[in-house]
Each structure stands twice: as structure tokens, then as C-alpha cells.
Amino acid sequence: MKRRLSFPLFWRIFLSIWLAMAVTVVSSNLATRYLLDRERQAIERQVGLQDLAQKAIAIREQKGRGDAWRFLRAQGERLDLHLVLIQRDEHDDSLPKPIRERMNSAWYPQKPAVIRISDEYRLIAWPRASGDGWLDPRFFRTLELGFAFILITLACWWIARLVSRPLKHMESTAREIAAGKNQLRVSQKIAGRRDEVGLLATAFNVMTDQLCDLLERQKGLLRDISHDLRTPLTRQRIAIELASDSGADEALIASILRQNERLEAMTSQILSLYRVAEKGGDIAREPVKPVRLINQVLRDAADYAEHQGVDCQLSATDEASGVTVLGDAGLLQRAFDNILQNALDHTPPGKSVQIRVAVEQQWVCIDIRDQGPGAEESTLPHLFEPFFRADKSRGGSGWGLGLAIARDIVNAHDGRIGASNDESGGLRVAIRLPVFTAA
């Protein structure tokens, strides 16, 4: 594979800021020089200055340099200009050193204009610092700061966009993949970038491909094993029943039968988990009354609850009794049954499991609370993961599939499910399903 040339993000950011600063300095200097040249040319084109210079020359020849200097000073105050009359030296035609320094130095914003009066005299004129009608030095500082602000702002915006847009795209892609859209990947436009962001996007796509491949293999393996186990388990059950009919040891046969039933139940749970996961939201839907389903679940679990010595209590508001949701009645009943069985398994004898159904803001809210030991806070986010068992706080004989199946069923019905420790003790599983029709 041909290695692509890379342009590191560090140098992109560094050069962007450096170029913005350089362009700011160059453009502001060019603009300042252009305006100053225009101002100097405007001074040189003023016809009145020629007449003033002629009068100053006449005063100088008649009354002396002092009177000529005072005359030019008075006229300069009137025109907001500095006026200096220079007499050419016979041996040196260059301007005096202070004037040359002012013209060439960057420290003086106003540059002198040289007006040729005659072969012998020249008039030097430049604006006063606060003179009206001429460019104020503060204008140039404002101009430079404005250029700097605009260009650096554009550079920072470009840098922020360069970095944030692909990262935001990767973040949203990661969220959607976590929500179950495993086919999504970071776009090739971002992955093809020749910098660290492109390398990160490429690594993200490779990592996602590998993880999704592993998950698919895991699902396929468990699904195939579950399918393959059903046939020998069924045959084993038939053989056990035949052995029981032929007079084999009843205690031994009963023990073997219990283990067989346990394996069949686990296999059925695994198959249910992956059937729901594969269907996702593509399930048969019809109006279903949650309260009616919960009553049916309670009737089916009555013998088991009595055996456990646990009392089940259902309370439903009048509005909740008649409300319906849109979904598959069999799947929803399976979800409620799994949660109820989990609550019964972890509630000590003499305690109760409380089920409350209410309607809140177009949601059917079903809370199932047990009076068991609860769960450690660190394990709560993992209770709905397949094969997860919080043995330290909620030991049991299950396989960690009941709540995972319930979660997938609720998600397939566009609902929400969560677990928390109740204030009075025990675990509280809260289910939220969207209302289809109100009572």
C-alpha cells in the first residue's frame, strides 16, 4: 500500500496563524503607505502654498529669517501644517538631515511634502498631529488593529472549523454506532485527510470494523449453538421421560429432568435475545393495554410468587388502566415477565414486589420495585447487558439474559428502560413506553 504524504495538523495551525499575522502586517503597511502618499500629493498640489512660499521668500530677503519664520508659523497654524522654507546649499542639493529622517523613518506617520519654489528655495510641509482635514495618526493605528482583528478572526475561524467539524462528525457517528447502526463509518472525505485527524478517522473505521465483526461472530456463534442445542435437548427430554416410565430411579430422573429444563430455558432465552436484536424496530404492532398484560403476567407468576413467599402488589391510575401502546403483546408480556421474575428471585420471603403504572406526559410509566438487597451503584449501568450478573449484590441462579431481553424489547417499542436503587431499599426498574391512545 502506497504511503500517503501527510501534512501534520500542528503545521497547518502554525502556518495559518503565521500567515494571518504576516498578511495583516503587510496589508496594513501597504494601506498606510498608500494613504500617506495620497496625502503628501494633495499637499504638493495646493496652489496656495506656492504663494505663501513666495511671500515668505520676500519677507526673508527684506526683513530677515526671523520674520519669515514667524510668518510661516502663523500661516501653518491657520492651515494645520508645519511649514519650513529651505534654501539650497551651493555645494549640497540634498535636504537637511532632520527632514530626511522624518521622511524615511517609520516613527513619523505624517511624511513631509517637498514643494519646489525656485532653483534656490523649497518649501517643506507636513500635517500637524491634530490638524483638521489631514489624516490622524490614530486612524492608522485603528486601521492596523482592524486589519489584524479581521484577518486573525478569519484564521481562528478556519482553524476551529478545520478541527471541530471532523471531530463532531466522528462523535455523532460513534453515538449512532453505539445506538445500533453498525453499518455507519466516518466519511471517506475525513478519513482521507493527510493529517492527524485523517489518521484518527481511519483508525476509528478500522477499529469499528473489527469490533462489529467480533460482535457478529459472537452473535452468530451463540445463535448457532442455541439452535444446535435444541434438538439434542429435546431428544434428551424424551429419553428421560421414557426412562422414568420404565421404572428408573425417580430422584435421579427428576434431577436430570431439572437440568434438562434449565438448559432448554437458557437456550430459549438466548434465541429470544437475538431474535429481538435482529428484528429491532421491525416488529408487528397493534394496540395493547399494558395493565392487562401485567395482570396476565401476575396470574402466570402467582404460583412461583407463592412458592417464594413474596407478595405482588399492582397499583394503576384510572388513566393508565385504559391507555394503550402500539406494539407486540407477546414481546411486551415477555419483557414484563422477565423483570418480574428477576424481582421475585431477589426478594426475601415475607417481602413484596410493588408494580405501579401511571401516565406522565404521553408516556406510560411502569415501575417494578422489589425489596431485595439492591445493586451496587457501579453495576447499575451494566444490569441490562447480556450475561452480566451482579453476583456480589444480587446473587441468583439466572444467566443474565432476562433484563437484556427486556431492554431490547422495550427499545424495539421506542421506549426507555433503566434501573436504580430505591430510596427504601431494593431495585427499581422503570419502563417508559409512548402512549398510542389515551383512556
Side-chain angles (χ1 to χ4, degrees):
M1 182 178 178
K2 188 177 179 181
R3 184 181 178 87
R4 294 183 303 173
L5 295 175
S6 63
F7 187 28
L9 192 62
F10 169 83
W11 289 110
R12 291 194 181 198
I13 296 174
F14 175 81
L15 291 176
S16 298
I17 297 177
W18 187 87
L19 286 174
M21 298 290 290
V23 171
T24 298
V25 173
V26 172
S27 58
S28 61
N29 284 340
L30 289 176
T32 300
R33 181 173 295 182
Y34 172 77
L35 293 173
L36 291 175
D37 287 343
R38 292 293 300 271
E39 184 181 62
R40 180 177 55 78
Q41 293 170 8
I43 294 174
E44 291 175 352
R45 287 195 295 268
Q46 288 198 41
V47 179
L49 293 180
Q50 294 275 352
D51 297 336
L52 283 178
Q54 293 292 347
K55 291 180 181 180
I57 292 172
I59 293 173
R60 177 173 179 171
E61 291 176 348
Q62 295 175 8
K63 299 182 180 181
R65 293 183 176 181
D67 290 340
W69 178 81
R70 283 188 287 274
F71 171 76
L72 288 175
R73 180 179 178 183
Q75 295 299 319
E77 291 177 352
R78 180 176 63 85
L79 297 173
D80 286 325
L81 291 171
H82 291 288
L83 299 174
V84 178
L85 187 65
I86 302 297
Q87 187 175 12
R88 185 176 66 84
D89 194 313
E90 295 180 358
H91 305 288
D92 187 7
D93 191 36
S94 63
L95 296 172
K97 184 177 179 181
I99 301 299
R100 291 200 309 272
E101 290 178 350
R102 177 174 285 274
M103 293 181 69
N104 298 326
S105 175
W107 292 100
Y108 297 101
Q110 281 89 0
K111 303 300 181 182
V114 181
I115 303 172
R116 188 180 183 86
I117 306 302
S118 63
D119 293 338
E120 188 176 0
Y121 289 100
R122 282 169 290 184
L123 181 66
I124 310 299
W126 68 92
R128 293 176 180 269
S130 59
D132 294 334
W134 307 106
L135 294 176
D136 193 329
R138 290 174 295 183
F139 169 77
F140 299 108
R141 288 195 294 271
T142 304
L143 182 67
E144 293 176 357
L145 291 174
F147 266 114
F149 176 78
I150 292 173
L151 292 177
I152 293 177
T153 299
L154 290 175
C156 292
W157 173 83
W158 185 80
I159 292 170
R161 183 174 179 270
L162 178 73
V163 177
S164 65
R165 285 190 68 182
L167 294 181
K168 185 176 181 180
H169 173 72
M170 283 189 280
E171 185 266 344
S172 62
T173 302
R175 285 182 178 274
E176 292 184 4
I177 291 174
K181 298 180 180 179
N182 296 339
Q183 74 280 4
L184 291 181
R185 297 294 182 271
V186 176
S187 68
Q188 188 57 39
K189 181 179 179 181
I190 295 176
R193 285 178 44 156
R194 296 182 300 167
D195 57 16
E196 290 85 348
V197 174
L199 295 175
L200 175 62
T202 301
F204 178 89
N205 285 342
V206 172
M207 177 191 68
T208 305
D209 288 338
Q210 293 180 350
L211 290 177
C212 290
D213 183 57
L214 288 174
L215 288 174
E216 287 301 321
R217 290 184 181 182
Q218 181 193 42
K219 290 180 180 179
L221 178 63
L222 290 173
R223 182 178 60 249
D224 293 342
I225 290 175
S226 301
H227 276 293
D228 293 341
L229 281 175
R230 296 192 74 179
T231 300
L233 286 173
T234 302
R235 291 174 180 174
Q236 185 185 63
R237 183 181 182 84
I238 295 173
I240 294 170
E241 292 175 353
L242 291 175
S244 177
D245 293 339
S246 63
D249 187 287
E250 293 184 2
L252 178 61
I253 293 297
S255 176
I256 296 174
L257 186 59
R258 283 195 300 270
Q259 297 304 320
N260 179 270
E261 291 174 349
R262 182 176 172 83
L263 285 172
E264 284 186 341
M266 182 176 67
T267 303
S268 177
Q269 290 275 52
I270 294 174
L271 288 175
S272 298
L273 176 66
Y274 289 104
R275 286 196 187 104
V276 174
E278 287 175 357
K279 286 183 179 180
D282 187 19
I283 57 176
R285 296 174 185 264
E286 60 181 359
V288 178
K289 290 187 176 183
V291 173
R292 183 177 298 173
L293 287 181
I294 294 173
N295 276 316
Q296 181 62 45
V297 169
L298 290 174
R299 283 194 294 269
D300 294 341
D303 292 339
Y304 183 72
E306 184 178 358
H307 178 267
Q308 294 288 100
V310 177
D311 184 27
C312 295
Q313 301 174 357
L314 171 63
S315 63
T317 62
D318 294 338
E319 186 180 8
S321 298
V323 76
T324 64
V325 298
L326 196 62
D328 186 302
L331 289 177
L332 287 174
Q333 184 173 341
R334 180 67 174 273
F336 299 151
D337 182 68
N338 285 353
I339 298 172
L340 179 62
Q341 288 294 330
N342 184 77
L344 291 173
D345 286 338
H346 299 98
T347 301
K351 301 291 185 178
S352 64
V353 173
Q354 298 177 350
I355 305 171
R356 179 180 177 273
V357 185
V359 177
E360 298 177 3
Q361 299 179 351
Q362 297 302 309
W363 291 91
V364 179
C365 304
I366 304 164
D367 291 346
I368 301 177
R369 309 183 189 191
D370 62 43
Q371 293 183 340
E376 293 183 3
E377 291 295 331
S378 59
T379 65
L380 288 176
H382 307 288
L383 289 180
F384 297 95
E385 295 177 2
F387 301 106
F388 179 83
R389 296 174 62 192
D391 290 333
K392 293 181 181 180
S393 60
R394 294 175 66 84
S397 57
W399 308 282
L401 292 172
L403 292 181
I405 294 172
R407 178 201 62 181
D408 288 345
I409 292 174
V410 172
N411 289 341
H413 287 79
D414 304 316
R416 306 169 187 168
I417 187 170
S420 62
N421 285 315
D422 194 57
E423 295 179 356
S424 59
L427 187 73
R428 171 178 175 252
V429 177
I431 301 172
R432 301 291 182 268
L433 296 171
V435 171
F436 178 59
T437 57

